[in-house]
Amino acid sequence: MKESLKNFYNYKISDEELLLYIRTHAGEWNEESFIQMKQLVRDVIKDYKDADYYPKVFVNYFVLNIPSVINILSHFRGCTDKEIRMGYTAETYLSMIAERINELKNLQLEFQHSLWASETFD
C-alpha cells in the first residue's frame, strides 16, 4: 500500500473526516478537514496515476462520501452563531458553501478524468 493511500485511509477513519464531522457536528463546516481531504485525494490520484485500478476504499469515497457531503451542503440554508462570530453573514456563508460544493464537484471530475487518463486506444 502506497503512503498516500495509508494517509488517506487514516484520514477516512478519523473523527475529522469531512462527512463524519459534518454529521456529528450538526452540519457544521470544517475547512481544515476539507483542505486535508482534497490534498490527500490528489496525492492518491497522483500516486496511482499509472495503476490499472484504485483501491476500493478510495473509489467508495467518491461513490458515497463526496456525493453525501454535496447533498448535505446543498441543504444548508443559513449559518450558526459560531459562523456569525467568525465574521460570516448568512449570505457570505452560503456563498462560501456554494464554492465548496463546486470544489467538491470539480474534485469528482478530477477523479473521473483520472480513470481514463492512462487508457490508450489502439
Side-chain angles (χ1 to χ4, degrees), residues 35-91:
I35 291 168
Q36 181 182 10
M37 181 269 298
K38 285 192 326 180
Q39 185 59 53
L40 291 169
V41 162
R42 287 181 173 140
D43 289 346
V44 172
I45 289 172
K46 181 181 175 188
D47 279 353
Y48 283 81
K49 70 180 172 131
D50 294 325
D52 290 334
Y53 60 88
Y54 287 115
K56 288 180 186 179
V57 67
F58 191 69
V59 174
N60 182 52
Y61 199 79
F62 280 92
V63 171
L64 298 175
N65 288 49
I66 292 192
S68 294
V69 171
I70 290 171
N71 184 44
I72 291 169
L73 295 180
S74 297
H75 291 91
F76 279 15
R77 298 290 175 245
C79 59
T80 65
D81 290 339
K82 181 180 178 181
E83 282 90 19
I84 290 171
R85 286 192 301 274
M86 292 171 61
Y88 285 105
T89 65
E91 295 79 21

Side-chain angles (χ1 to χ4, degrees), residues 84-105:
I84 290 171
R85 286 192 301 274
M86 292 171 61
Y88 285 105
T89 65
E91 295 79 21
T92 60
Y93 184 72
L94 292 176
S95 176
M96 182 271 297
I97 293 298
E99 289 174 20
R100 298 308 174 265
I101 290 170
N102 284 334
E103 288 182 58
L104 287 166
K105 289 178 179 179

